[in-house]
Amino acid sequence: MKEIPKGANVSLTAFGEDAGSVVVSLGWTSASGAGDADVSVLLLDTDGKIRSENDFYFYNNPAAADGSVQLLGKKPTSSGDEDRISVDLTAMPPGVARIVVAASQYGGARFGDLDDLHMTVADRSGEPLVGFSIDDASVETAFIFGELYRRGEEWKFRAVGQGYETGLAGLATDFGITVDEDSDEPEPEPVPTDASGTPSDGSAPADGPQAEAAGVAPATGAEAPVAQPGSGPPIPADQPHVPGQTRGRGPRTTRKKTTLPKVAGKSLAENDSWRSARLFPVPSLRSDKEREVRATSVLLSVMAQVPELGRRLTAGFGAPAGRMQTFTEVSLPHGDAPKRPDGVIRVERAGKLWTALVETKTNGNPLKAEQVQQYMDIAARRGYEAVITLSNDVALEGTAVVDVKIDGRRKHKVSLWHLSWAEVAHQAQMLIRHEGVGNAAHAWLLQELLEYLQHENSGCHGFQNMGPAWVPVRKGIEDETLSPGDARAVDVVESWERLIRQVCLRLGGELGQRALPVQRARRGSDPGTRRAAAAGVLCAEGRLTAELRVDGSGGVIAVSADLRTGKVRTSVDIPAPEASSPLVAVKRLVRLLAEAPADLHVQSLVDDGTGPRGTLERLRPEPGNLLPGDGAAPTGFRLSLIKGMGNSRGNTESGFIRSVDEAVDRFYQGVVARLGAVEHRPARRG
């Protein structure tokens, strides 16, 4: 990869044909684990202005209808996480001269709070082409990282590194956008609609003042001025404008999307023994082969029929936006006998084909390196672009799900990608529950796909097994016979990281928010070194630890599994509520946690360490027991829940994986979700 300094530019065309579709990544690290930012993309004309509000892509408008831009969301890395954006330069409208890639912070945070700000442009195969680092960030709340721009028939990349102290609003204003001020009024709940767009509860269609209140564009009157939720004059209808930046709330956009209500309508069944008819039935599946064939066919058919899902699952793999067709059990020549990959995905755009072979495993069966290698060889010889593996395993940065050899002498590059069934379920749930799809039929298809994946007999349940090293390591910890440096401990640490990433996928899908593991290492650090250090802690103390962050929540959730005591602890540190006295602060905290579990442990944090502690059940009648005896005012509080862990290695009723998943879910729903009134104050660097 070529690193360039601020202000420099480089031609993408010079890197080869694969640069026609690129993936742009913005990344950073945070010492506290709480730092984050939102990415945005602006398409500008030759005058340096956007043509309409549809040329501004951010968390409430994540994808272009023509597929030229798609925000892929955050991807965990070995040193934190990266926000990824798919940019199909071949699909870019002729009127677009520049593509600006930026990021903004919220809640009083500054980019100086983050470390290692960097931007990377990779080709469709995932090969990094050019990178740029920002090392002078301080009080800025928004940054233009870089831009892609036309020069004749070629596209070039320029490292910009321009900061704004006025946040997203200041950045957007420079390009002809007016950002609405946030309203303090809560947004109304969306009304479920049928296929015709009529509310299913029998109310009148959204229009007029009610439609404006719901954030839906009126059916007529495009010339009317648009009123801002805050104070100030109305915005002219012909001036591009976007909603103000908010966190922890669903998308607000004028585009009508279909989502399904979380609570289903009243059933017409006579009793609970009746089961709804399903488009993809699974009870008859008896063998692993049947599960693999059925799961592949179900997923690929829905991907082809629901463009939102198909594009979301393939854009990060370098696929262009275009007409998608999918196939199963395709026979391809290879040596003496043809090979039959489980599936083939083809995307056609402007007469060119992008092709990926798909190899599927279900029910926890491992991928076979020899089989994947054969598909990589076939793809290289036939000019295909990718091989996609799909299984219950979760990929980690710095470790391969399956090892293959790539012949560097071949001119045609084939990229190898991996998907977890848990990630597929996550994306389906995000679309039908939170972000919406084009019509009711697509929403129903995604619901049927999700029902299939979640059925106990589908074999598509995500990460389910801590691996062969789990039992001997756990027994060695219990018997105090596990030696430092035991290689099996590293295997358990890797399985633990996979489990935490899957917990984040499931939790994020339920909430409609990004949930990611927190890594505090710097970019370029060796993941193996970090895992070896964690394995040392496991051998010495018998503990597995992790941290995760959920958008819209204040603080980082810590998860600790103590294999010696058989307990899973989930906790979060929060600042003390602002109050006139320490006693008033602890009373406010206890009132805030009125609906939290009674067994919640609350501990005072003071400047010189930790203070008094107790369960919420005992503290409710006497909140003053949280105050230190020396009269010191608590600076914050640590909230913790403790749960017994399962014994088996798998995802059974008493399994370790299930107990960790349930512990995180209970802690978030019962504790973290109730802390919205406590404002998180991030620590400043230096």
Side-chain angles (χ1 to χ4, degrees), residues 457-648:
N457 202 29
S458 70
C460 305
H461 305 118
F463 183 72
Q464 292 181 282
N465 196 303
M466 290 295 289
W470 172 249
V471 171
V473 165
R474 184 163 183 174
K475 182 172 176 57
I477 290 173
E478 292 173 352
D479 299 341
E480 299 186 8
T481 58
L482 186 65
S483 302
D486 193 319
R488 295 174 299 182
V490 176
D491 294 339
V492 170
V493 168
E494 287 191 9
S495 295
W496 170 252
E497 289 187 15
R498 299 180 200 275
L499 169 57
I500 293 300
R501 291 197 178 180
Q502 177 163 289
V503 168
C504 289
L505 285 171
R506 188 204 57 77
L507 185 62
E510 289 289 336
L511 301 174
Q513 301 286 351
R514 292 177 300 197
L516 288 170
V518 172
Q519 301 289 359
R520 301 178 188 269
R522 292 190 63 84
R523 182 167 59 110
S525 59
D526 181 22
T529 302
R530 188 190 72 243
R531 293 181 184 121
V537 173
L538 177 61
C539 293
E541 304 176 13
R543 289 187 301 112
L544 292 165
T545 60
E547 293 177 317
L548 57 95
R549 181 182 67 249
V550 180
D551 273 8
S553 64
V556 174
I557 300 174
V559 185
S560 175
D562 193 326
L563 303 188
R564 289 180 174 174
T565 62
K567 303 290 185 182
V568 177
R569 176 187 292 268
T570 47
S571 61
V572 66
D573 290 354
I574 62 171
E578 295 184 2
S580 58
S581 68
L583 180 59
V584 173
V586 296
K587 286 183 176 180
R588 286 183 179 176
L589 176 66
V590 172
R591 285 200 302 269
L592 190 65
L593 298 171
E595 302 299 324
D599 60 337
L600 177 69
H601 288 243
V602 185
Q603 184 173 27
S604 298
L605 302 177
V606 293
D607 290 332
D608 58 351
T610 56
R613 69 180 73 185
T615 63
L616 193 59
E617 183 179 24
R618 295 186 177 183
L619 291 171
R620 278 170 176 156
E622 293 293 339
N625 290 341
L626 275 178
L627 296 177
D630 58 2
T635 59
F637 300 94
R638 178 165 297 155
L639 312 178
S640 306
L641 280 178
I642 302 172
K643 171 182 171 57
M645 67 174 64
N647 294 317
S648 66

Side-chain angles (χ1 to χ4, degrees), residues 262-317:
K262 287 188 176 182
V263 180
K266 183 178 179 181
S267 174
L268 301 180
E270 288 185 2
N271 55 63
D272 293 340
S273 66
W274 286 25
R275 294 290 178 262
S276 298
R278 301 254 71 107
L279 180 64
F280 311 120
V282 292
S284 61
L285 299 179
R286 302 184 182 277
S287 68
D288 288 342
K289 182 61 178 177
E290 285 182 301
R291 292 186 180 92
E292 289 178 11
V293 171
R294 178 73 64 84
T296 305
S297 183
V298 166
L299 174 61
L300 294 186
S301 63
V302 175
M303 285 174 60
Q305 294 301 317
V306 183
E308 295 92 341
L309 180 67
R311 178 65 180 154
R312 176 160 297 191
L313 294 180
T314 59
F317 301 157

Side-chain angles (χ1 to χ4, degrees), residues 45-261:
D45 58 19
T46 54
D47 295 328
K49 304 294 183 181
I50 67 168
R51 302 166 303 168
S52 72
E53 66 179 39
N54 292 330
D55 282 346
F56 184 48
Y57 301 98
F58 61 122
Y59 52 88
N60 273 358
N61 182 32
D66 60 5
S68 58
V69 176
Q70 179 171 331
L71 273 59
L72 302 175
K74 293 188 182 295
K75 171 187 176 184
T77 68
S78 60
S79 57
D81 51 74
E82 289 184 336
D83 250 305
R84 303 166 67 234
I85 307 154
S86 171
V87 181
D88 190 346
L89 299 174
T90 63
M92 200 59 58
V96 175
R98 293 164 55 198
I99 306 167
V100 172
V101 181
S104 54
Q105 290 207 279
Y106 45 89
R110 303 290 185 267
F111 274 96
D113 302 328
L114 303 176
D115 298 307
D116 197 24
L117 299 168
H118 61 277
M119 175 179 181
T120 303
V121 180
D123 64 17
R124 68 169 72 240
S125 68
E127 183 71 24
L129 303 177
V130 59
F132 164 56
S133 296
I134 297 174
D135 54 12
D136 57 352
S138 56
V139 298
E140 298 86 356
T141 54
F143 250 106
I144 295 178
F145 279 66
E147 64 180 15
L148 306 172
Y149 63 99
R150 294 185 197 261
R151 276 296 180 267
E153 297 298 322
E154 68 175 355
W155 282 93
K156 305 185 75 173
F157 166 71
R158 178 184 290 117
V160 178
Q162 177 183 347
Y164 293 76
E165 294 184 38
T166 50
L168 177 67
L171 183 153
T173 301
D174 275 2
F175 302 110
I177 306 171
T178 299
V179 178
D180 299 350
E181 296 297 327
D182 290 339
S183 171
D184 293 332
E185 296 181 4
E187 294 188 28
E189 291 294 323
V191 178
T193 61
D194 59 22
S196 65
T198 303
S200 58
D201 61 358
S203 61
D207 203 355
Q210 293 80 7
E212 292 185 23
V216 180
T220 61
E223 296 80 10
V226 181
Q228 295 191 55
S231 60
I235 304 171
D238 59 351
Q239 182 173 347
H241 66 283
V242 296
Q245 190 168 17
T246 58
R247 306 298 303 159
R249 58 200 283 182
R252 181 176 63 180
T253 174
T254 57
R255 296 179 179 179
K256 187 174 181 63
K257 293 294 186 84
T258 301
T259 57
L260 298 180

